[in-house]
Amino acid sequence: MRILYLAPFTSREDHLDSGVVGYGETSGNALVRELRLLGHAVRTVPTRPPATTKVGHAIQTYEELSTLDLKSFDALFMYNTHHQFAAEVRRLLYETGATGTLLTGYTHGSHWDPSDQIRHAYPMLKFADLGNVMAFDVVFLVSHYMLDVVSRTLTAELGPKVATEFAKRARVVGGTIDTDRLEAARTDKDEVPAIVFNHSPTAAKRPEVFFRRIPEVLDAHPDVTLTVTRKFYSDNPGFTELQQVIKHFPGRVTLGETMQTDAYFTRLWRSHLQVSTASHESFGVSTVEAIYAGCCAVLPTHGCYAEVTGDSGIYHRDEDMAERLNTYLSDPMATERTVRDQQRAIRRYYPSDVAARITAAIASP
C-alpha cells in the first residue's frame, strides 16, 4: 500500500505531553520502519525542518498536504489527531477529490475519557475532539480499556447512536515501543537495586502519591536508589513531596531533568523496578518500555494496566504500593517471575505486531 504518514509534533524542550518529548518520536518512527519492512511505500509529512511549536507543526503539515496529490495514496495515517486535526485533513481530501483515500490514525487520548486530564485542559474542544475521531474512516485505539470507556461515556452523554458510530470506526491495534532503539541502549543492571519513576509531573499521574510513600521503601532498604526521569517545576504536582525525599535521602535520588531519549533508555536498562501511580492510563508507553528493559513494573488497577500486564505487579490500594515494592526488593526470585510474566504480556505490543494489525485495519476498513 501507499501510505502517507502524518508525523506528530516532537521537541527537545521539556513538555508535559509525553508524546512530544518521547513516544511521539520513538513509537511513531518504529511504526513507520515496520510498515516499510512489511512492503508498504510510506512517505512522511512534514518534510521541512521541524517546527518549534505544535501550531507551527500543524501548519507545516497542512501546507505540505495541500501540495500533494492525495489521490495517489491508499491511506493517510495520522499518529496523533491532537497534533493535527483529522477534520481539517478530511476537508482537504474532499476539496482535492481524494475521496477514495482512507483517513486513518490514532487518538491517544480523549475528552470522552473522564480520567484524561490533559484533554480536559482544552474543555471547549470536547466536541471538536469527537468530530476529529468521526472524521476518520478507521480510528486506531491503544487499548480495549479506551474503547470501553469512550463507548460508555458517549452512550451516557450522547446516546447509543453516536457510540455505535464510534465503535464502527474503532480498531484496537495497541500502542507500541521502539524495540530497536531500546536494544541499542542496552546495558547491565546497577549493582544496587534501582527504582525509576518515569511519569510526567501531571495531576493524572499523581506523583505526590509516589513521593509520599517512597520514604517507607528507602528507609527499609538503605542501598536502594531512585531516579526521577522527568523535570519537576515548583508549580507541578509532587514537587514539594519530591523535595522532601531529596532532603531526607541525600545522594540516593537522581534527577533526570527530562532525560534525552537514549540516556533515558539506558537508565531503564540499569533499573530494577518501575512504579506508576497514574489515575489515567490508556496504554502506558513508559511502563511498557521499562518492562522491555527488564524492570519489574508496580502498577495500580487504574486505566489499562491490568489489560497490558495481566495481574502481575498490580496493587489495589495506594497504601499497598510501598509494601509491594518492599516485597520485590526482599525477594529477587519473585521479582524475576513478575518480570518474565510482564515481558510475555507485552510482546503483542512490539512494533512489528502493531504494524501488522494497522495494516489489516487499513486493508479491511
Side-chain angles (χ1 to χ4, degrees):
M1 285 188 290
R2 298 157 299 171
I3 299 172
L4 182 62
Y5 174 70
L6 280 61
F9 173 65
T10 57
S11 173
R12 295 295 180 186
E13 302 299 321
D14 197 27
H15 200 283
L16 288 178
D17 181 349
S18 298
V20 170
V21 298
Y23 69 81
E25 177 187 21
T26 55
S27 66
N29 289 347
L31 285 174
V32 170
R33 181 177 66 240
E34 294 299 331
L35 287 168
R36 286 172 175 160
L37 288 173
L38 287 172
H40 303 300
V42 183
R43 179 171 177 174
T44 299
V45 291
T47 57
R48 287 181 290 167
T52 57
T53 66
K54 192 182 291 186
V55 170
H57 179 85
I59 291 171
Q60 281 187 0
T61 304
Y62 299 145
E63 286 180 342
E64 290 193 30
L65 288 177
S66 69
T67 68
L68 298 174
D69 178 11
L70 299 180
K71 295 189 292 294
S72 68
F73 298 97
D74 298 299
L76 272 58
F77 171 21
M78 300 177 65
Y79 185 76
N80 192 333
T81 193
H82 208 49
H83 289 202
Q84 304 103 346
F85 272 22
E88 178 65 14
V89 179
R90 174 62 73 185
R91 183 184 66 80
L92 285 170
L93 290 174
Y94 283 144
E95 291 187 350
T96 59
T99 53
T101 300
L102 288 177
L103 181 56
T104 68
Y106 276 108
T107 178
H108 286 283
S110 177
H111 282 79
W112 301 90
D113 176 354
S115 71
D116 190 343
Q117 296 187 25
I118 291 293
R119 291 298 179 100
H120 291 305
Y122 306 81
M124 293 185 73
L125 294 182
K126 181 174 182 177
F127 290 98
D129 192 5
L130 178 60
N132 283 317
V133 169
M134 295 303 196
F136 280 127
D137 293 296
V138 182
V139 56
F140 304 137
L141 300 178
V142 293
S143 61
H144 289 282
Y145 158 81
M146 193 169 177
L147 174 60
D148 292 342
V149 72
V150 172
S151 295
R152 281 190 277 109
T153 307
L154 288 173
T155 299
E157 295 192 26
L158 298 178
K161 184 176 180 179
V162 175
T164 298
E165 285 297 314
F166 165 71
K168 286 180 181 177
R169 292 165 170 76
R171 303 290 186 277
V172 178
V173 298
T176 194
I177 57 176
D178 192 341
T179 52
D180 285 7
R181 197 162 172 182
L182 273 159
E183 283 295 335
R186 182 188 281 267
T187 191
D188 295 334
K189 296 291 182 191
D190 285 353
E191 292 186 6
V192 297
I195 298 171
V196 63
F197 185 80
N198 55 349
H199 275 317
S200 58
T202 58
K205 304 302 183 183
R206 303 191 307 152
E208 71 282 358
V209 174
F210 175 76
F211 295 131
R212 285 174 191 154
R213 298 196 175 276
I214 196 61
E216 302 173 40
V217 178
L218 298 178
D219 276 331
H221 301 273
D223 57 339
V224 169
T225 65
L226 169 66
T227 298
V228 179
T229 64
R230 296 293 296 270
K231 185 175 180 62
F232 278 73
Y233 294 92
S234 59
D235 59 345
N236 291 151
F239 175 84
T240 301
E241 292 82 357
L242 173 58
Q243 299 309 304
Q244 290 299 309
V245 176
I246 295 169
K247 176 182 177 180
H248 287 103
F249 301 96
R252 296 173 63 188
V253 181
T254 298
L255 301 178
E257 304 289 3
T258 305
M259 305 171 78
Q260 294 301 308
T261 300
D262 297 311
Y264 163 67
F265 283 167
T266 296
R267 180 67 261 176
L268 293 183
W269 285 109
R270 291 175 58 189
S271 300
H272 300 78
L273 292 146
Q274 180 258 356
V275 185
S276 174
T277 44
S279 60
H280 162 74
E281 197 60 82
S282 57
F283 175 62
V285 170
S286 62
T287 290
V288 176
E289 288 170 338
I291 292 170
Y292 184 89
C295 292
C296 175
V298 177
L299 310 168
T301 57
H302 304 299
C304 69
Y305 282 129
E307 175 183 338
V308 171
T309 66
D311 294 331
S312 297
I314 299 290
Y315 64 90
H316 295 275
R317 304 177 303 165
D318 289 344
E319 51 267 35
D320 295 335
M321 182 194 68
E323 179 182 346
R324 182 61 62 89
L325 280 169
N326 283 329
T327 297
Y328 284 132
L329 288 166
S330 301
D331 189 346
M333 292 185 66
T335 306
E336 182 58 32
R337 285 195 300 271
T338 301
V339 171
R340 288 198 300 267
D341 288 344
Q342 291 178 337
Q343 287 183 327
R344 280 193 293 269
I346 67 162
R347 284 174 188 165
R348 65 191 187 277
Y349 301 121
Y350 286 8
S352 58
D353 296 321
V354 177
R357 289 194 286 271
I358 287 172
T359 296
I362 294 174
S364 301

